[in-house]
Amino acid sequence: MDLLSPIDVGEYRLNNRIFMAPMTRCRSVHNNVPNEMMVQYYTQRASAGLIITEATQISTKGIGYPYTPGIHTAEQVEGWKKVTQSVHAKGGRIFLQLWHVGRISHPAFHNGELPVAPSAIKPSGSIYTYEGMKEFVTPHPLSTGEIKNIVEDYIAGAKNAMEAGFDGVEIHGANGYLIDQFLRDGTNQRTDEYGGSVENRARFLCEIVEAVCAAVGSNKTGVRLSPSGTFNDMKDSDPQKHFSYICERLNRYNLAYLHIIDALEGDIRHGANVVELRILRDAYKGILIANGGYTFERGNQTIRDGLADAVAFGALFLANPDLPERFKTHSELNTPDPASFYTQDETGYLDYPALQCD
């Protein structure tokens, strides 16, 4: 087996193991609605074994970045329908990533109300808003009743994704956003049933997973985690122990897949306590996707070594809409342009060239 081999994920037979990782691109410029640019962008990349969309807000309270799409209004659902229909017409498969940013936000996004989090712990640094850069604030710690309401928002988002024609959903539990904030003891200092032990800190994630699986099917539900991540001022006292437990716990749900972000260069530079992929592979028995700076060669080796079943590529897929064909033919790769990652026009979004076929 290698990256070009087919794979069964959930109820789907996928053409290859070269997945498109979720990447925020900030092109939803009107009411957080997917637009025609986004239709073209995802359709250009339909040869991926599986597309996982950019992180998509489950509610207005989940917003933390300008021009990012949502899945909580009828207009947004209709916008996404155009994306899924076009991707399916090209033979592709596509999951929507469900997102709540938690404390990684600002009152500027919420009519002056505080962002929410498991505990009242302010992240270091600042965030970009429609009004420019703003320093992070101390978030509002969620009550148990508010937590239950957010679980309901995940259910609604998952159902809306199915209405929009997606093949499944990925629950974003990584990168320092709300679910990750509950999982880590550096951001979760609660003393109720959602804090303290790793079993309690995993409760929020498990409640969401159970609810989403019940709503749309476990075979259409994935989860993404970043056990070694330091992005968004994240830390944990013993991530190897804690995330081994979390991965083992996820075996109960018969998910479509578990998506793991490896420690990135920035994480290591910021003192990450690195959790080796092999440890998580031993803990999780289902389909496992690896992500994080992979090359074609490293991806193939990771699959051959049994450490992962598929690999999600981010910046390489951004810059190479026909990445599977380039890997297959060992063709030269386009270079990503970071200056256009988060702009609002077609430059650096729709204009990366595909291979010229004779």
Side-chain angles (χ1 to χ4, degrees), residues 44-254:
Q44 286 176 352
R45 291 154 179 82
S47 64
L50 177 67
I51 294 171
I52 307 164
T53 72
E54 62 208 273
T56 303
Q57 311 133 13
I58 58 170
S59 70
T60 56
K61 292 184 178 180
I63 297 174
Y65 296 88
Y67 308 119
T68 52
I71 191 66
H72 50 88
T73 72
E75 189 180 11
Q76 291 163 358
V77 170
E78 291 304 309
W80 278 121
K81 278 183 182 178
K82 297 175 184 178
V83 174
T84 61
Q85 289 167 357
S86 186
V87 168
H88 289 153
K90 289 290 188 178
R93 293 291 183 186
I94 182 167
F95 275 38
L96 178 110
Q97 190 185 63
L98 301 171
W99 190 31
H100 192 304
V101 300
R103 69 177 190 161
I104 304 302
S105 188
H106 190 274
F109 291 107
H110 308 294
N111 296 317
E113 293 185 7
L114 292 173
V116 299
S119 302
I121 301 173
K122 176 186 174 182
S124 63
S126 57
I127 190 167
Y128 184 74
T129 74
Y130 292 108
E131 302 162 4
M133 298 301 294
K134 301 277 189 181
E135 184 178 346
F136 283 118
V137 300
T138 301
H140 161 68
L142 289 161
S143 68
T144 54
E146 289 170 326
I147 290 171
K148 303 299 184 187
N149 290 338
I150 291 176
V151 174
E152 292 297 320
D153 289 338
Y154 275 96
I155 295 171
K159 289 181 176 179
N160 284 343
M162 293 301 104
E163 183 182 345
F166 283 96
D167 299 300
V169 296
E170 178 178 280
I171 297 166
H172 193 350
N175 293 348
Y177 299 117
L178 184 60
I179 293 174
D180 202 22
Q181 292 160 28
F182 272 87
L183 295 176
R184 313 282 196 103
D185 58 18
T187 42
N188 184 343
Q189 297 182 2
R190 301 176 72 95
T191 57
D192 62 4
E193 64 266 37
Y194 291 97
S197 67
V198 64
E199 293 84 359
N200 281 355
R201 285 183 279 113
R203 188 183 305 276
F204 181 51
L205 169 62
C206 291
E207 288 182 351
I208 293 167
V209 171
E210 289 172 7
V212 169
C213 287
V216 305
S218 60
N219 61 348
K220 295 182 179 180
T221 303
V223 172
R224 195 180 204 214
L225 301 174
S226 54
S228 305
T230 61
F231 182 60
N232 283 325
D233 197 23
M234 295 301 291
K235 53 185 177 294
D236 188 86
S237 64
D238 194 346
Q240 179 171 309
K241 175 183 176 182
H242 296 157
F243 280 91
S244 292
Y245 167 82
I246 292 162
C247 290
E248 285 182 8
R249 178 68 186 271
L250 290 174
N251 286 318
R252 301 183 187 184
Y253 303 112
N254 195 28

Side-chain angles (χ1 to χ4, degrees), residues 17-32:
R17 298 164 189 248
I18 305 164
F19 292 4
M20 179 176 169
M23 292 175 283
T24 292
R25 302 302 311 276
C26 296
R27 260 63 178 195
S28 297
V29 293
H30 172 70
N31 292 339
N32 305 110

Side-chain angles (χ1 to χ4, degrees), residues 293-308:
Y294 279 75
T295 62
F296 179 60
E297 293 75 18
R298 182 185 169 205
N300 275 334
Q301 192 62 53
T302 298
I303 291 172
R304 292 186 185 120
D305 290 344
L307 296 178

